Amino acid sequence: MVRGLGLGGAETLLYQRLKYSIETGLIDPADTTVINTYPHGNYFAKKISDLGVSVQNSASNNRVLSSLNLWRSIQHMDADRVVVVHSPFPAAVIKARTAVKRLPFPIVEVSHNTQNARLPHMLGRVFNRYADLCIAVSEDVAAGRTTRGFRRKSVILAGVDRSSMRRWVEDSSSAAELMRASLGVSGDARLIVAVGSLTEGKGHRHLLSALAELGEPRVHIAIVGMGDQRSALEQQIRSLGLRDQVHLLGRQDDAWRWTAVADVLAHPSYHEGLPVTLIEARVLGVPVVASDVGGVEQVLDGLAYSRLVRPRNSSELADAVRDVLSIIGPFAKSFPQRATEGSPWDMSRYAREFYEALELERMDRIE
């Protein structure tokens, strides 16, 4: 269960895990149902359906009405199920329902962040103890306030499909150059990519200020994502005189490919759990400059030429970008080597551990 199938990190992980696990025979798509309690966010719905997985959308986008529908529908689910919830609000509804009368199936909540909105956080403090298991996506999430009160917690680090990334890199040297050239990045010009929704908490405005502080016209920034801060960012770009250097690319399928063609990935977010974008950069071997929040340090541990900075600090961000750009080699030389090294952040390990945990919960309930 998930509240929305948009382009967020939790939704991306859900789709990628299902896709890998079905393609490798780890799970049968007929055994899985995805319930979307916020059908307005539906980017991944068709992609998941194309995998052979049933997708059920709530009849309403209204949080109260969709919660009532969820409250009623879970009463009729059979006992041979494991209900996995990827969003805090529907999780609160299900935990509240089992607090009234214990449901016959185990409830597993996947916690993706170190911060929740106020209402889901308050509900979690009351009802977390009614879940059977909390899967935290990083050690920081497991230690954070969003996972307090669970009777049992397990950390299962997420992963991405490195082999697919490597195949694309091997087949796409000319495509990579064309992608960069479409932004005016050629020769010795450098490309910094940021992937994340255009919202206040992603901190993109600090990246723009850092670029202005660099004062280097051969450095470009491409930001992949959509959100309510686009107009504000466009205004900032104009006011800083950066229209020739900053490119707002909007939503992009397989956004990790823009990470793959970057010289540096920037991630100036204010708070995080375990950012999928950084896992992708880690597996690709792309240098990263990121805010030191959530599970970011854990992801970047051992990644050459990466830097952590304090969030909301444009000057530190500028200094770190300048430092990394001064020591990394040219893109044409680094791109062919991307996604060549084995990684603990690989999808094969993640999917196996995830479904083993679910099967243990199912067997425990049967016994």
Side-chain angles (χ1 to χ4, degrees), residues 114 140 267-273 275 278 288-300 307-313 316-317:
T114 55
D140 284 79
H267 197 77
S269 189
Y270 297 168
H271 56 82
E272 288 290 354
L278 296 193
V288 173
V289 174
S291 300
D292 188 5
V293 294
V296 169
E297 182 179 11
Q298 189 173 6
V299 178
L300 299 187
R307 300 289 185 271
L308 294 173
V309 300
R310 290 177 295 174
R312 307 173 191 262
N313 194 312
E316 279 193 19
L317 192 59

Side-chain angles (χ1 to χ4, degrees), residues 97-162:
R97 175 63 185 81
T98 202
V100 174
K101 183 179 180 182
R102 188 170 186 257
L103 295 169
F105 44 75
I107 300 165
V108 177
E109 181 171 350
V110 184
S111 185
H112 294 267
N113 217 321
T114 55
Q115 295 187 34
N116 287 334
R118 179 174 296 180
L119 180 57
H121 176 65
M122 292 174 60
L123 292 172
R125 292 179 62 182
V126 176
F127 295 116
N128 281 351
R129 60 196 175 99
Y130 294 101
D132 294 271
L133 174 68
C134 170
I135 294 177
V137 298
S138 74
E139 298 289 350
D140 284 79
V141 172
R145 67 174 194 160
T146 54
T147 60
R148 291 174 187 166
F150 287 99
R151 291 178 294 162
R152 291 194 298 120
K153 289 189 280 190
S154 177
V155 177
I156 300 180
L157 302 176
V160 295
D161 192 350
R162 185 185 66 84

